């Protein structure tokens, strides 16, 4: 590690992506000859060639391939450590893009208010994310973090505070035979068509929102599902707060027994954690 130059490592990493000295220089804002100098210095430090260069192509040596595989995760972690330290030093500012599914309940709104009061330099943007794509907005960088219905079994996502455990209801048309029941059971769900999210929501998540082995109709949005319910096409499982928020005269919400409670959780991408996200997670966890 004696005399290790970060610029040499950065040059090698970019060159390994571009396999072109000119484009590498453009990305690093240095000349092509400077790229050659940095690479030569790194190869001299290591004691072997990392890159083979001919008049027609550039490619990594076997040692270069192995060095790249070991260097990349270490460099990324180092860069993330520096980024986190910089964010912590300057405080929480900028913009936090927060996604939510269905209904932004009272606890979420209280957490947003507490976060804004504690960090006035950070603007919170609240975005509704699709019912049928709970994790896509986080993965595609459209939001920094999202409040989604559990379960969450995505290896690239971090599950933060879990909250808002609520009893489930079944939304049915006022004309549906189950509308007159005081409560329903899992057996009742097995005898009716349930309405569930379509892909890209993962299969395990869709199954949790429509826990029946019977026929299911798939929808993309919550409003699309409620419209199908009102038309008598099927029944839809909803938590009590969402049912209350989306009350309508042509739909009845009947309590259901024997199914797990609805639970919300905060998720973010494992590679995209920031001080803003951590600060909001603390605010959300602190709300009673």
């Amino acid at each position: 590690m004696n005399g290790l130059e970060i610029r040499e490592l950065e040059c090698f990493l970019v060159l390994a992506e571009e396999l072109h000295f000119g484009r590498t220089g453009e990305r690093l804002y240095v000349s092509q000859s400077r790229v050659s100098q940095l690479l030569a210095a790194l190869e001299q430090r290591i004691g072997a060639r990392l890159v083979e260069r001919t008049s027609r192509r550039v490619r990594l040596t076997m040692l270069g391939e192995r060095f790249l595989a070991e260097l990349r995760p270490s460099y990324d972690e180092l860069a993330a450590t520096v980024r986190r330290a910089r964010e912590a030093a300057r405080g929480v500012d900028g913009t936090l893009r927060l996604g939510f599914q269905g209904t932004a309940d009272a606890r979420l709104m209280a957490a947003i208010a507490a976060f804004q009061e504690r960090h006035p330099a950070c603007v919170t943007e609240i975005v509704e994310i699709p019912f049928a794509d709970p994790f896509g907005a986080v993965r595609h960088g459209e939001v920094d973090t999202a409040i989604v219905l559990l379960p969450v079994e995505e290896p690239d996502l971090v599950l933060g505070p879990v909250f808002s455990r609520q009893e489930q209801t079944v939304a049915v048309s006022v004309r549906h035979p189950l509308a007159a029941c005081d409560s329903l059971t899992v057996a009742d769900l097995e005898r009716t068509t349930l309405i569930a999210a379509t892909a890209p929501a993962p299969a395990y998540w869709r199954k949790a929102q429509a826990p029946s082995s019977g026929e299911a109709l798939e929808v993309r949005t919550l409003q699309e599902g409620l419209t199908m319910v009102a038309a008598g096409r099927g029944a839809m499982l909803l938590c009590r707060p969402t049912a209350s928020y989306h009350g309508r005269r042509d739909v009845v919400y009947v309590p259901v027994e024997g199914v797990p409670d609805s639970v919300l959780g905060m998720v973010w991408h494992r590679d995209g954690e920031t001080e803003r996200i951590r600060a909001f997670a603390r605010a959300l966890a602190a709300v009673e």
Side-chain angles (χ1 to χ4, degrees):
M1 293 291 288
N2 186 32
L4 182 64
E5 292 288 342
I6 294 295
R7 194 60 169 169
E8 295 173 6
L9 301 179
E10 291 175 338
C11 179
F12 172 74
L13 289 171
V14 175
L15 182 59
E17 292 178 4
E18 296 291 348
L19 296 178
H20 190 282
F21 279 71
R23 290 195 297 270
T24 298
E26 291 174 1
R27 283 182 54 180
L28 295 174
Y29 300 101
V30 298
S31 66
Q32 185 170 326
S33 61
R34 181 56 179 159
V35 173
S36 297
Q37 292 171 2
L38 290 169
L39 175 64
L42 179 61
E43 290 179 330
Q44 183 176 8
R45 195 181 305 279
I46 290 176
R49 295 286 298 275
L50 299 174
V51 175
E52 291 180 352
R53 181 183 185 184
T54 68
S55 59
R56 294 197 297 180
R57 69 174 183 172
V58 176
R59 68 178 183 180
L60 300 183
T61 64
M62 290 183 62
L63 177 61
E65 294 280 3
R66 187 163 66 249
F67 182 60
L68 174 64
E70 296 179 0
L71 174 63
R72 172 57 71 185
S74 300
Y75 179 84
D76 289 345
E77 180 57 33
L78 177 62
T81 299
V82 173
R83 184 183 67 250
R84 290 192 293 267
R86 184 170 60 243
E87 290 172 348
R90 73 185 184 200
V92 178
D93 58 7
T95 301
L96 176 71
R97 298 166 300 166
L98 174 64
F100 71 94
Q101 268 191 308
T103 304
D105 70 358
R107 179 167 179 176
L108 175 58
M109 298 310 297
I112 292 173
F115 175 81
Q116 290 283 201
E117 182 177 359
R118 194 170 300 137
H119 306 288
C122 185
V123 177
T124 305
E125 292 182 357
I126 309 171
V127 181
E128 184 176 3
I129 59 178
F131 174 64
D133 193 8
F135 312 124
V138 171
R139 284 199 172 109
H140 301 148
E142 297 166 6
V143 298
D144 301 306
T145 183
I147 306 300
V148 300
L149 284 165
L150 269 56
V152 176
E153 300 175 7
E154 308 303 295
D156 59 332
L157 301 184
V158 177
L159 176 60
V162 172
F163 64 102
S164 194
R165 183 175 297 276
Q166 302 287 342
E167 294 180 345
Q168 300 271 35
T169 69
V170 175
V172 293
S173 166
V174 294
R175 302 181 302 276
H176 196 283
L178 298 178
C181 297
D182 293 329
S183 65
L184 301 175
T185 66
V186 174
D188 294 320
L189 299 184
E190 294 287 347
R191 292 192 293 268
T192 191
T193 299
L194 289 183
I195 295 171
T198 187
Y204 74 85
W205 190 91
R206 301 200 306 267
K207 185 66 175 177
Q209 313 313 322
S212 170
S213 58
E215 180 184 2
L217 295 176
E218 296 185 338
V219 296
R220 292 167 297 178
T221 68
L222 180 58
Q223 289 301 323
E224 186 178 327
L226 287 172
T227 301
M228 297 280 277
V229 168
R233 300 286 300 278
M236 192 173 188
L237 207 61
L238 295 175
C239 68
R240 284 190 178 277
T242 300
S244 299
Y245 183 83
H246 292 282
R248 45 190 295 172
R249 290 180 294 180
D250 51 1
V251 173
V252 173
Y253 299 96
V254 184
V256 59
E257 301 173 354
V259 298
D261 291 343
S262 170
V263 185
L264 297 177
M266 177 181 169
V267 298
W268 60 88
H269 200 281
R270 193 169 298 280
D271 297 331
E273 185 172 315
T274 65
E275 185 61 26
R276 288 187 293 272
I277 291 174
R278 289 191 290 272
F280 187 79
R282 291 193 293 269
L284 182 58
V287 175
E288 296 296 335

